[in-house]
Amino acid sequence: MSVGARTFGYAVRDVRRRAGRGFALGTVLALVAFVPPADASARTGHDVADAVTWTTRHVAPGVEVRTGVLRDPGAAGTWTVTVQAPAVDRLTGAAAWAPLGERGWAGTTAGRLRAAGFAPRVERVAWDPYADTPRGTMGWQVRVGGYATQAEAVTAGSAVSAAGFRTSVEWTGYDGRRRADAERVHVAVVDPARLRGTVEVSDGGDTADREKTSTVAARLGSLVGVNGGFFVTSDADGVQGTSAGLSAVHGALQSMATGSRAALILADGGRHVRVADLSTTVTVRSGSAVRAVEGINRVPGKVRDCGRPGTVPTALPRQDVTCSLADDLVKFTSAFGAPLPTGAGVQVVLDRRGVVVSRGDRGGSVPAGGSVLQGTGSAASWLAGHAGPGSRLTLRETVRDSSGRQVRLGPDDSVVSAAPTLVEDGRIHIDAATEGTLDPLDLSFGFAWSNVRQPRTLAGVDARGRLLLVTVDGRQPGVSEGFTLAEAARFMRSLGAVQALNLDGGGSSAMAVDGSLVNVTSDATGERAVGDTIQVLPRPGRG
């Protein structure tokens, strides 16, 4: 491995001399201009060149990792108190709180604060440039004070709360409408034409388990590894570690899509990579009787991120929401290593040929090489009537992209999904509302997830077919604040991505190089164990 550090200006001259190697010239020049549009005139390329140092690691043929910090010396984040607006959850009708509200509420609230002896300010929040949301004003935030420390802001927030307001303490550097102090970024570029190895999704061999990205990378001897898709993190939402969205490992579906959401397809061991919105259909047949399977390797009745027909309160994708499904049929594969869910319903155990070995109560474990079907409600009745011992069941699994084209998976193919799409056909295209990461009709849902800077993991493909894997650290005030979805999309496009998506982020965001963690994760407890990862693997015998 070779390691070199250089200022950004030097990198530009170096790329000119070595056109076609590493990052293209357009990539470097685009990064110089990467600032929120409203503040673009406040910074010049020279300012960034003076402030940023990039380190390049040539990990292996076809694998390069660059690390840098995008700094803005003119940015000055502070701690502040944000007053929450009363809201109603659009799906459930339950009372909720939103970080912003309508202008009338903002004016009235500011007046009440002044009457209570505070000096509020009202800030307009505009919609980010999503492809499927309104333009113009999203809402208005009411805030009090600007403090040097979080402790001071907490004390002020307690005083505001005591006056009858609901508050939260926030770092203004996380606002997408303000300039960030710093954003620490790791960019891995994987050229499949030069890579002596493969790129694949790894769930650690157990789809119902959680493991740290760096642990998986070290065990597999990975060149580069990043965290993958969304997964269940609480027993209340299912089995921890199971994917909340489409996942395929070595060509086998390990979970189903939650609506048509963005996915990274690693075909032929990563030699052909693309991003597409994918949906899944699975059916089971017994003679002439056919029944839809609504899940793979999840607890029947619980659908994390919703997005399945019949789920309540919505059949549309809804990030970090667990929907219910009364009449549910779920398949469990031999990769499901946890005890099978128990409860009301019917279970049938199948051998590797699809022959029913037994039928009875739910529970136990999946036999090696076999599979299990669990049904609740009308699905349980279907199994009771069509899956007697000795009968043969035929399962058919279909994956399609948004054009309706079938995506056929072979043993060297992997898929990891998340949301939303960031870049499509070479243009920024963030379909956040469609993929359920925010709701234009409900300001209590998704604002912080989408419009506030967060740690993120991103993946994309450039015009040369190279895979781009990116992490940005966040939730570290003044050190690294992260990206909004819009900033993530602009950054991926600046790298030359023609397709890109957002993977799991927050405390899950991690990148390992040669088996060692290289970014600073945001959880106070350190690197988070995740459901699945993307690993760039050398061929056996690499020196």
Side-chain angles (χ1 to χ4, degrees), residues 501-515:
L501 80 159
N502 181 73
L503 293 171
D504 193 13
S508 297
S509 285
M511 178 182 286
V513 178
D514 279 337

Side-chain angles (χ1 to χ4, degrees), residues 20-350:
R21 294 182 59 193
F23 280 34
L25 175 60
T27 298
V28 177
L29 293 179
L31 283 171
V32 171
F34 177 68
V35 291
D39 296 306
S41 61
R43 293 173 67 183
T44 66
H46 179 71
D47 294 331
V48 178
D50 288 344
V52 181
T53 297
W54 293 90
T55 300
T56 301
R57 301 176 67 173
H58 302 284
V59 181
V63 182
E64 180 178 280
V65 177
R66 286 197 178 184
T67 298
V69 180
L70 307 175
R71 297 190 186 279
D72 188 340
T78 60
W79 291 97
T80 191
V81 178
T82 300
V83 178
Q84 302 292 297
V88 175
D89 186 298
R90 188 172 69 86
L91 296 183
T92 67
W97 294 95
L100 67 169
E102 296 181 351
R103 188 166 191 172
W105 165 84
T108 299
T109 301
R112 290 176 55 208
L113 285 163
R114 282 190 288 269
F118 300 101
R121 63 186 184 277
V122 176
E123 300 177 359
R124 173 181 174 270
V125 180
W127 282 100
D128 277 345
Y130 302 120
D132 51 6
T133 62
R135 295 291 183 264
T137 301
M138 173 187 279
W140 303 81
Q141 284 192 322
V142 178
R143 286 176 159 172
V144 175
Y147 306 94
T149 68
Q150 187 176 14
E152 291 177 283
V154 169
T155 299
S158 297
V160 177
S161 296
F165 300 89
R166 186 180 180 93
T167 64
S168 62
V169 171
E170 298 175 341
W171 173 252
T172 60
Y174 294 156
D175 294 349
R177 59 190 182 275
R178 286 179 169 82
R179 289 148 52 175
D181 293 83
E183 293 152 318
R184 184 170 47 216
V185 184
H186 300 267
V187 180
V189 181
V190 182
D191 186 349
R194 300 178 56 224
L195 173 65
R196 300 169 185 169
T198 61
V199 186
E200 56 192 59
V201 175
S202 173
D203 57 12
D206 184 353
T207 190
D209 190 22
R210 296 175 61 177
E211 197 170 9
K212 295 177 181 179
T213 299
S214 62
T215 301
V216 177
R219 185 177 67 250
L220 298 179
S222 170
L223 301 171
V224 175
V226 297
N227 64 289
F230 305 130
F231 61 97
V232 174
T233 60
S234 167
D235 293 340
D237 302 311
V239 176
Q240 291 196 35
T242 53
S243 295
L246 172 59
S247 174
V249 179
H250 298 305
L253 281 184
Q254 300 300 342
S255 61
M256 292 178 65
T258 50
S260 180
R261 301 182 96 185
L264 179 69
I265 306 168
L266 301 167
D268 193 20
R271 291 176 179 82
H272 301 93
V273 183
R274 70 182 179 108
V275 174
D277 288 352
L278 298 182
S279 59
T280 50
T281 302
V282 179
T283 58
V284 57
R285 176 183 292 274
S286 175
S288 61
V290 178
R291 177 85 191 194
V293 176
E294 295 297 348
I296 297 177
N297 294 328
R298 64 165 174 78
V299 175
K302 294 184 177 182
V303 185
R304 187 63 171 169
D305 295 347
C306 308
R308 297 302 308 173
T311 52
V312 176
T314 179
L316 299 175
R318 192 81 166 181
Q319 186 61 31
D320 291 341
V321 173
T322 299
C323 281
S324 61
L325 184 60
D327 303 307
D328 201 4
L329 186 57
V330 176
K331 172 189 175 183
F332 294 87
T333 71
S334 58
F336 186 85
L340 288 166
T342 58
V346 173
Q347 171 176 299
V348 298
V349 179
L350 310 176

